[in-house]
Amino acid sequence: MTMTTPSTPSGPGLGERLRTGFGLLGPRHPRHTLSVEQVDALTLPIGDDGVVVGVNNEGQPAILGVNRPTPYDIVLIGGLWTAQVMALRSAATGARVAVETGRPQAWMQMVHAMGGGQNGLSVYEVGRVPPQGASAGTPVLVVRDCGMRPPRGRVVSGPWQSVLTLLPYLSPVAPRLLRQARLTGIQRVSPDEAAELGRTMGLSRTEVESLPGLPDGVTLWCTDRDRQYVLTQPTDAEIGLLGTPRRMD
């Protein structure tokens, strides 16, 4: 029995192939094969796709699917810190973030840290957000940081364009926003606000009683069928840029 090595290619036509530049030869070694029993070892754990906003009560990652092919409205009744973490993490997934705000100075540090608006985050005055041209390849998150009574936005949710509206507290426009939202996040609120949210959103008595005592960084995320308490744990880079979790700004 004869053996061939990489330095001594053999077989009809191999020399000709090398001389004419067709068909580079790879290393000569036994094929890599797996038994049927070993195939299962190649299984990779695949989780949900989206933005990791924290961990739930079981210590598992809590993921929000922000980039969607259908319109998606989010309302966050909480602090600027959480909205900014969500904006940063959305940009890290490849989304462009457009911030509509009446306090642009509160976002400037993020803009500078991300390359002066050239790398995924831009800030606009209230009512001045231009069309974003969202697509599957360039999804967009519009963050509306417009105070207690945000006006109706020029740029609304659509395919591959989600809208996150930040409310520091409940206001007369909150019921309308909550009705159209597919996801609502609630951070620490007063007992009166908690009772009103309980009636508006059908929260349980336990959930209503928990809201006035939620720690900084904890959000109760609500959909029509699900409720999850989520703790947002910042990375070192996020702490350096935004500071530690806080409800008030």
Side-chain angles (χ1 to χ4, degrees):
M1 180 178 65
T2 61
M3 298 181 61
T4 61
T5 68
S7 59
T8 57
S10 62
L14 290 181
E16 180 63 26
R17 288 170 58 195
L18 289 175
R19 284 193 297 273
T20 57
F22 293 101
L24 294 179
L25 299 180
R28 292 294 183 261
H29 51 66
R31 292 180 178 272
H32 295 291
T33 58
L34 291 176
S35 66
V36 174
E37 292 75 16
Q38 292 173 310
V39 171
D40 288 338
L42 296 179
T43 302
L44 298 176
I46 303 297
D48 296 330
D49 183 23
V51 178
V52 179
V53 293
V55 294
N56 60 22
N57 288 336
E58 289 74 40
Q60 300 298 317
I63 299 174
L64 301 185
V66 175
N67 303 329
R68 295 170 177 261
T70 55
Y72 198 66
D73 287 281
I74 306 168
V75 172
L76 173 62
I77 303 169
L80 177 65
W81 184 91
T82 301
Q84 290 184 327
V85 168
M86 291 180 63
L88 276 176
R89 296 183 181 184
S90 296
T93 68
R96 288 189 290 109
V97 179
V99 179
E100 180 183 9
T101 181
R103 46 178 174 179
Q105 70 283 355
W107 292 86
M108 283 301 102
Q109 187 174 1
M110 282 182 58
V111 173
H112 296 322
M114 296 178 65
Q118 302 301 312
N119 292 310
L121 190 147
S122 301
V123 175
Y124 304 94
E125 296 179 5
V126 176
R128 299 294 183 88
V129 182
Q132 296 296 303
S135 67
T138 56
V140 173
L141 173 66
V142 178
V143 179
R144 305 200 69 215
D145 174 29
C146 306
M148 293 284 289
R149 297 171 180 264
R152 294 182 182 272
R154 286 180 55 193
V155 178
V156 298
S157 62
W160 303 110
Q161 179 166 291
S162 298
V163 175
L164 167 63
T165 301
L166 174 65
L167 295 177
Y169 301 103
L170 286 183
S171 70
V173 303
R176 171 178 62 84
L177 293 172
L178 292 174
R179 282 194 300 270
Q180 73 185 34
R182 295 182 60 188
L183 177 68
T184 300
I186 308 171
Q187 297 188 321
R188 187 171 61 248
V189 293
S190 70
D192 288 344
E193 290 174 304
E196 179 63 28
L197 285 166
R199 290 188 291 269
T200 303
M201 302 181 61
L203 303 179
S204 69
R205 180 178 178 180
T206 300
E207 290 165 343
V208 169
E209 292 176 346
S210 74
L211 293 178
L214 290 181
D216 290 341
V218 174
T219 307
L220 175 61
W221 289 102
C222 308
T223 67
D224 290 339
R225 296 176 295 179
D226 190 27
R227 308 277 192 269
Q228 275 196 42
Y229 292 94
V230 174
L231 170 63
T232 301
Q233 298 174 313
T235 64
D236 290 342
E238 290 167 346
I239 291 175
L241 183 61
L242 304 174
T244 55
R246 58 191 180 278
R247 170 65 174 89
M248 300 294 295
D249 295 288

